[in-house]
Amino acid sequence: MYGCCQQGSKDHIKVQGEILEGLVARIVKRESSEHMERVLRDFPPPPLEGEGLDLGPTLREICAANRSEKQQIKALLQSAGTAFCPNYLDWFGDDDSGSHSRNADRSVVSKFLQSHPADFSTGKLQEMVRLMREKRFPAAFKCYYNFHKINDLSSDNLPFKMVIHVHSDSGFRRYQKEMRHQPGLWPLYRGFFVDLDLFKVNEKKTAEMAGSSNQVVKNEAEDSSLADEDANLMVKMKFLPYKLRTFLIRNGLSTLFKEGPSAYKAYYLRQMKIWNTSAAKQRELSKMLDEWAVYIRRKYGNKPLSSSTYLSEAEPFLEQYAKRSPQNQALIGSAGNFVKVEDFIAIVEGEDVEGDLEPTKDIAPSSPSISTKDMVAKNEGLIVFFPGIPGCAKSALCKEILNAPEGLGDDRPIHSLMGDLIKGRYWQKVADERRRKPYSIMLADKNAPNEEVWKQIENMCLSTKASAIPVIPDSEGTEINPFSIDALAVFIFRVLQRVNHPGNLDKSSANAGYVMLMFYHLYDGKNRQEFESELIERFGSLVRIPLLKPERSPLLDSVRSIVEEGINLYRLHTNKHGRLESTKGTYVKEWVKWEKQLRDILLGNADYLNSIQVPFEFAVKEVLEQLKAIARGEYAAPSSEKGKLGSIVFAAISLPVPEILGLLTNLAKKDPKVDDFLKDKSMESCIQKAHLTLAHKRSHGVTAVANYGSFLHQKVPVDMAALLFSDKLAALEAEPGSVEGEKVNSKNPWPHVTIWTGAGATAKDANTLPQLLSQGKATRIDINPPVTITGTLEFF
């Protein structure tokens, strides 16, 4: 990694404030570094000027003197000077031409996509926007009037500024997948600001534009694809003092003042858990943040502290807190005028600031949710709730749990509240019941699909001294939804078999399919990993309801098509009508037709849909065992993937060992050479785990490994084509298949599964088997036809 830096012309602390947000490092090639050095030589920075001059009021002083947001922005721009901001048109519009509208005609984006691009760059931007709109990426495209060109505005010339804002990180993962198919796509960033001119031209003008731009387009198109992907790799790091003030103090203000200290504590502990903050550091931060909550609530009462001026209160508090001990100074960093940089460095150089060197025996701070491997206290209550969809069998499961002879393995009474039978605010009823029976186990028999409900449950746990366990249907999910199309089809099929359902969602419901799609889309925006990770981070545990057989046949085309048709119709309907029922609006006829076809196809394939589900008795048994394990403290919750990327070494397809052993047994029966090779080897003890390596960090780079992220936890078929073995090595030649039509390719020149190594050999040496074969030192046994074994793509 190469780079160069130039000394700042002004002192950072004086110009930018006391808090450094973080660092961004970009990996560049040596040629890039040399190019930057040439630029700096050819265009040296201007001489230092103005040293020692008064720099004017500080940021905090400006914000304190100007309370409204518009006043603050104007004062900041004036302080920055005319070189930075010669006029305020972009910020406040043109008073002579009306207010600065934030809602330009929504048709602008559509007109932009339909227009002929005037140059290559415009065409590439259209390509990006069109893809994101068609694939329904979580992004906003807003257009504003360009007041710099207000005098040029006419019916034939419309100047705008377009702002593209990507709302969710899932959008970047999906876009990266598209870039693998279309390498020429422009890279995607969190935000774009684009000057956009829509204008009409006559035939003569069109010809002139085409002639002048053809050569530019040709030149740019020849080099339109991205460079080596490593050249675009960037590392972003945030400093603890910034995260403390911004995420733990400022972003928690609304929770603290609206919901109280307990909810605030739950908020900041969840943040620290997401960051993988060490136990020792959590204790230090919790002590400080609890004091902050008491201090600021006592000073302001129930009047919320503005997030725009919070530092005026936070910094004096942090300064006083830092004065108490060197340890507090190290925790807070620079605060107010008290902590000098030299003193701070002297303190932190003498200890482990992050606290990661503390012994693991440290006890983590108290949390509203049970932590992995901890036992659920018997003097506390327990809430079992269901982030699911109608048809996921939650009511049937609740009945089985209620009737289980030993309950959850202790003497706490179990109660159930069925949402379909409760009138009024369901979760308030649950809270009331929790207060009446604080040591009971409450089965919350109602779908809990969103973060608002999860937050209510968290607060309930804090206020009534309880733990909570989310119980979810197991499913692979999609890129933007934790439930797969297979799972949704089964849920709808189950609902259409109901009779006299208390919630009136059964076979007699005319719009049952629409209601199911409405529930399904409540989960949009999170894939399965993100969905499970958030639940684990909030509640510390997770129970999965087995749903579909792992070895099931693929979803029938007719079933998949009718469900996907409904999803597309739902999106059309909601884009035009919002939450309007399907019995009203533009698409009433389409809904009636689809609901009928849905019933005909699903009920017509009842045998198939029943065959792909696990038996209900098995699901009940698995759920009960998981719940009891959590109560006993023997259950290790699935780990969150967040924060693990730094320790990932390679990507591989994990394969089931029994199927590998079965393949070898069959080969030995058919081929004497294989039988002779295997007869003196205990393959059961040799093959503890089996995997097909796709990319390794040392051999192929971090980016190559990370690029398999879109396939993470997905099932991948692998064709075993041959067995190669020598006196010290044995491996199966393997070729990975496709996931949802996209081929999974290995970066390894010879994809294989190592199954045995002799004395002095390592698994890595199996890469040499093709070379040993060419030298006559190894044997190859073809497997014809190849045997397919399905595994799961994982990071290791």
Side-chain angles (χ1 to χ4, degrees):
M1 179 167 147
Y2 301 92
C4 62
C5 62
Q6 178 74 14
Q7 181 180 358
S9 59
K10 295 181 181 180
D11 184 272
H12 160 75
I13 291 179
K14 292 180 181 178
V15 178
Q16 296 180 338
E18 304 95 342
I19 305 164
L20 182 61
E21 179 175 337
L23 296 174
V24 176
R26 180 174 180 180
I27 294 178
V28 297
K29 294 181 178 179
R30 180 183 294 276
E31 293 79 8
S32 299
S33 179
E34 292 170 352
H35 175 71
M36 285 190 286
E37 289 173 355
R38 285 198 303 272
V39 170
L40 290 172
R41 282 197 304 268
D42 296 341
F43 304 95
L48 296 179
E49 295 179 358
E51 193 170 3
L53 294 179
D54 181 14
L55 296 174
T58 66
L59 174 64
R60 193 166 298 144
E61 289 169 343
I62 291 173
C63 291
N66 300 274
R67 288 301 178 180
S68 76
E69 183 179 13
K70 186 172 182 178
Q71 289 174 337
Q72 289 177 348
I73 293 173
K74 202 160 192 175
L76 287 169
L77 293 173
Q78 287 172 342
S79 180
T82 55
F84 179 79
C85 182
N87 61 62
Y88 305 140
L89 284 177
D90 284 337
W91 299 90
F92 307 113
D94 187 348
D95 292 334
D96 296 332
S97 60
S99 63
H100 188 185
S101 170
R102 297 192 62 82
N103 292 304
D105 190 344
R106 290 187 178 184
S107 66
V108 170
V109 179
S110 298
K111 291 175 181 174
F112 165 64
L113 294 178
Q114 294 166 8
S115 301
H116 179 77
D119 54 28
F120 179 79
S121 297
T122 304
K124 298 303 292 183
L125 181 66
Q126 285 178 316
E127 182 182 37
M128 170 191 285
V129 174
R130 186 175 291 111
L131 172 71
M132 295 173 69
R133 294 247 298 184
E134 289 176 353
K135 300 282 186 177
R136 294 180 57 81
F137 278 36
F141 304 90
K142 293 185 178 180
C143 289
Y144 303 83
Y145 294 111
N146 188 340
F147 289 97
H148 289 283
K149 300 181 180 180
I150 198 69
N151 295 328
D152 299 329
L153 182 65
S154 70
S155 59
D156 292 339
N157 189 53
L158 301 174
F160 294 98
K161 287 186 179 290
M162 178 190 286
V163 178
I164 303 173
H165 180 201
V166 181
H167 292 308
S168 170
D169 289 347
S170 64
F172 294 104
R173 286 190 294 274
R174 293 169 60 194
Y175 194 82
Q176 286 165 3
K177 187 175 180 180
E178 296 294 337
M179 288 181 76
R180 288 201 294 275
H181 293 298
Q182 305 178 55
L185 281 172
W186 272 6
L188 181 64
Y189 300 97
R190 178 67 71 182
F192 288 81
F193 301 86
V194 183
D195 278 345
L196 186 64
D197 286 350
L198 301 181
F199 55 89
K200 293 180 181 179
V201 293
N202 54 37
E203 292 182 6
K204 180 181 178 181
K205 183 67 174 176
T206 301
E208 291 175 0
M209 288 175 54
S212 62
S213 62
N214 276 345
Q215 188 59 41
V216 176
V217 171
K218 182 177 182 296
N219 293 340
E220 291 182 317
E222 288 174 354
D223 191 30
S224 62
S225 61
L226 289 178
D228 180 3
E229 56 189 12
D230 283 346
N232 296 286
L233 191 61
M234 302 179 79
V235 182
K236 188 176 183 180
M237 296 167 283
K238 301 275 189 179
F239 290 135
L240 179 61
Y242 167 79
K243 291 171 75 173
L244 188 159
R245 290 162 173 82
T246 302
F247 295 103
L248 300 184
I249 293 180
R250 187 195 69 183
N251 292 0
L253 287 174
S254 61
T255 300
L256 175 60
F257 281 95
K258 289 180 182 178
E259 302 173 45
S262 295
Y264 175 60
K265 189 179 187 73
Y267 163 79
Y268 72 64
L269 286 173
R270 184 164 64 248
Q271 287 295 320
M272 287 190 268
K273 192 170 185 180
I274 291 171
W275 299 336
N276 276 341
T277 307
S278 64
K281 189 64 67 180
Q282 283 194 51
R283 283 199 303 276
E284 291 183 57
L285 288 168
S286 296
K287 181 175 181 294
M288 185 273 295
L289 291 168
D290 287 344
E291 284 195 32
W292 157 254
V294 171
Y295 163 80
I296 202 66
R297 282 287 296 261
R298 187 175 294 160
K299 183 169 182 177
Y300 276 75
N302 293 322
K303 181 184 177 183
L305 174 64
S306 169
S307 61
S308 62
T309 58
Y310 79 102
L311 278 176
S312 299
E313 295 292 349
E315 286 301 301
F317 167 83
L318 293 172
E319 182 176 3
Q320 292 301 317
Y321 191 86
K323 286 181 179 179
R324 298 186 204 169
S325 69
Q327 290 74 24
N328 285 4
Q329 281 189 34
L331 177 72
I332 299 301
S334 176
N337 299 315
F338 170 66
V339 181
K340 303 301 180 186
V341 174
E342 296 80 4
D343 298 337
F344 176 68
I345 292 174
I347 293 168
V348 300
E349 283 182 346
E351 64 171 81
D352 169 34
V353 178
E354 183 55 36
D356 290 332
L357 302 182
E358 293 277 340
T360 55
K361 64 183 180 181
D362 289 332
I363 301 171
S366 59
S367 170
S369 59
I370 62 172
S371 57
T372 306
K373 293 283 188 182
D374 281 350
M375 184 178 290
V376 176
K378 300 301 184 290
N379 62 345
E380 290 186 356
L382 180 64
I383 303 170
V384 178
F385 69 102
F386 298 85
I389 294 174
C392 68
K394 65 183 179 306
S395 297
L397 275 170
C398 287
K399 289 179 183 177
E400 295 295 330
I401 296 171
L402 279 171
N403 296 327
E406 299 177 1
L408 297 187
D410 56 53
D411 56 358
R412 285 178 295 178
I414 302 179
H415 303 281
S416 178
L417 274 180
M418 188 176 188
D420 294 320
L421 300 177
I422 300 296
K423 304 298 181 185
R425 298 166 62 192
Y426 175 82
W427 295 105
Q428 185 58 53
K429 298 273 188 184
V430 173
D432 294 342
E433 194 70 13
R434 281 284 316 120
R435 280 187 280 270
R436 285 200 316 110
K437 301 170 183 176
Y439 305 119
S440 66
I441 296 172
M442 169 61 68
L443 305 179
D445 183 5
K446 183 177 178 67
N447 290 301
N450 53 38
E451 295 176 15
E452 182 181 344
V453 173
W454 302 347
K455 198 168 186 179
Q456 289 184 57
I457 295 170
E458 282 183 297
N459 293 339
M460 221 180 293
C461 290
L462 286 164
S463 61
T464 66
K465 199 178 180 183
S467 300
I469 303 175
V471 180
I472 63 172
D474 199 4
S475 172
E476 296 93 343
T478 71
E479 290 177 342
I480 57 170
N481 197 293
F483 299 105
S484 65
I485 301 298
D486 307 52
L488 177 59
V490 168
F491 296 150
I492 299 175
F493 173 65
R494 288 176 176 178
V495 165
L496 293 178
Q497 291 182 306
R498 290 173 174 175
V499 179
N500 297 325
H501 184 259
N504 297 319
L505 184 59
D506 53 32
K507 64 187 298 182
S508 64
S509 307
N511 64 340
Y514 167 79
V515 174
M516 291 297 293
L517 291 174
M518 183 180 66
F519 272 99
Y520 180 74
H521 281 84
L522 290 174
Y523 294 90
D524 255 7
K526 290 187 177 73
N527 60 28
R528 171 55 57 149
Q529 178 189 327
E530 293 166 335
F531 175 63
E532 291 193 356
S533 294
E534 180 158 355
L535 287 169
I536 292 167
E537 286 157 5
R538 285 177 180 269
F539 302 101
S541 61
L542 186 72
V543 168
R544 296 189 179 106
I545 310 169
L547 176 65
L548 302 173
K549 294 177 180 177
E551 70 282 2
R552 67 188 184 276
S553 56
L555 191 65
L556 297 176
D557 289 341
S558 59
V559 175
R560 179 178 293 279
S561 294
I562 193 63
V563 174
E564 289 180 344
E565 183 182 329
I567 290 173
N568 292 332
L569 180 57
Y570 180 86
R571 288 171 178 166
L572 281 173
H573 177 88
T574 53
N575 282 343
K576 189 172 184 66
H577 300 298
R579 296 184 179 182
L580 189 70
E581 295 178 6
S582 62
T583 54
K584 303 173 184 177
T586 309
Y587 303 100
V588 172
K589 291 181 180 178
E590 288 83 354
W591 278 118
V592 171
K593 180 182 176 182
W594 179 78
E595 293 277 2
K596 183 180 184 306
Q597 290 177 335
L598 178 72
R599 284 161 171 75
D600 292 344
I601 291 173
L602 294 190
L603 298 178
N605 290 287
D607 290 343
Y608 164 78
L609 289 168
N610 283 322
S611 72
I612 65 174
Q613 302 178 49
V614 301
F616 179 64
E617 297 75 16
F618 173 77
V620 172
K621 178 175 174 290
E622 288 290 307
V623 170
L624 278 171
E625 286 181 357
Q626 292 175 71
L627 288 171
K628 290 178 181 178
I630 293 174
R632 291 193 303 267
E634 299 173 359
Y635 170 79
S639 62
S640 166
E641 293 297 328
K642 292 182 179 179
K644 281 191 172 181
L645 287 174
S647 61
I648 291 171
V649 177
F650 65 95
I653 301 170
S654 182
L655 296 161
V657 172
E659 293 190 38
I660 298 288
L661 293 172
L663 171 61
L664 294 174
T665 301
N666 291 335
L667 284 175
K669 290 177 181 177
K670 296 177 182 178
D671 195 302
K673 292 180 182 177
V674 179
D675 184 48
D676 186 58
F677 175 74
L678 295 177
K679 66 183 179 183
D680 60 344
K681 299 173 180 64
S682 175
M683 299 307 292
E684 288 81 0
S685 59
C686 289
I687 309 178
Q688 297 296 318
K689 295 180 180 178
H691 66 263
L692 167 61
T693 299
L694 299 171
H696 197 287
K697 183 166 68 173
R698 291 194 188 94
S699 304
H700 308 105
V702 175
T703 306
V705 176
N707 279 342
Y708 291 98
S710 60
F711 301 115
L712 192 62
H713 306 319
Q714 297 287 315
K715 299 291 184 184
V716 185
V718 178
D719 288 342
M720 303 298 173
L723 171 66
L724 277 71
F725 57 86
S726 67
D727 58 341
K728 288 190 176 183
L729 297 164
L732 290 163
E733 183 176 284
E735 181 62 32
S738 300
V739 175
E740 296 181 356
E742 184 172 359
K743 182 75 166 64
V744 178
N745 294 307
S746 173
K747 298 288 185 182
N748 197 325
W750 184 61
H752 64 276
V753 180
T754 305
I755 58 173
W756 175 79
T757 56
T762 65
K764 186 178 180 181
D765 295 334
N767 285 294
T768 64
L769 276 169
Q771 183 181 354
L772 293 173
L773 178 65
S774 65
Q775 296 170 355
K777 298 178 182 178
T779 302
R780 177 187 176 97
I781 306 295
D782 288 323
I783 303 173
N784 195 8
V787 173
T788 301
I789 297 176
T790 299
T792 305
L793 196 149
E794 304 285 359
F795 286 151
F796 297 89

